[in-house]
């Protein structure tokens, strides 16, 4: 299945991320973080869940890791990373990826 939200397309089978048709290179951690957000698109994913799934249970309280990687993802995927439209912050809770387009 290919997830689409605005200019973003994520092919979960091929592990391919494109933005406006151009491939976006992501690190393995960036991809895993995006994959989790895609799987829960439109819903809030808590900091603890993301940390546990991407970095492991020992890192479930290290929210700084998450902030850094979300910042990197926004830098690669958002037109204006300071005004995100795809990866939204839910203050004090987690992050939400804008729900996919119906196509």
């Amino acid at each position: 299945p290919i997830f689409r939200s605005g200019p973003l397309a994520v092919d979960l089978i091929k592990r391919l991320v494109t933005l406006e048709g151009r491939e976006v290179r992501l690190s393995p951690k960036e991809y895993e973080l995006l994959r989790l957000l895609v799987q829960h698109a439109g819903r809030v994913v808590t900091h603890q869940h993301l940390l546990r799934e991407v970095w492991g249970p020992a890192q479930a309280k290290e929210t700084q890791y998450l902030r850094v990687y979300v910042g990197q993802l926004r830098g690669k995927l958002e037109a204006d990373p300071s005004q995100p439209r795809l990866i939204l912050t839910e203050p004090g809770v987690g992050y939400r990826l804008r729900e996919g387009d119906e196509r």
Side-chain angles (χ1 to χ4, degrees):
I2 298 176
F3 170 85
R4 296 181 195 283
S5 183
L8 175 69
V10 181
D11 185 327
L12 295 173
I13 302 298
K14 294 180 181 176
R15 294 181 60 99
L16 179 66
V17 178
T18 58
L19 189 66
E20 296 179 346
R22 292 185 297 275
E23 185 175 354
V24 178
R25 300 264 180 202
L26 299 179
S27 73
K29 294 280 189 207
E30 290 169 341
Y31 180 81
E32 283 304 308
L33 180 57
L34 181 60
R35 182 186 62 77
L36 276 170
L37 291 170
V38 164
Q39 289 177 330
H40 296 75
R43 294 177 283 166
V44 177
V45 185
T46 66
H47 296 129
Q48 290 75 24
H49 182 76
L50 291 167
L51 286 162
R52 214 174 23 254
E53 294 296 316
V54 177
W55 284 273
Q59 308 303 325
K61 296 186 190 272
E62 300 294 333
T63 57
Q64 189 56 33
Y65 289 150
L66 199 48
R67 285 189 193 100
V68 168
Y69 277 84
V70 168
Q72 289 174 191
L73 270 177
R74 283 178 173 158
K76 293 179 178 183
L77 302 177
E78 299 279 2
D80 179 359
S82 67
Q83 299 288 320
R85 298 181 53 111
L86 292 170
I87 302 172
L88 308 173
T89 301
E90 297 294 335
V93 180
Y95 296 95
R96 179 171 46 92
L97 183 64
R98 192 177 89 191
E99 202 159 357
D101 299 338
E102 296 295 322
R103 286 195 226 177

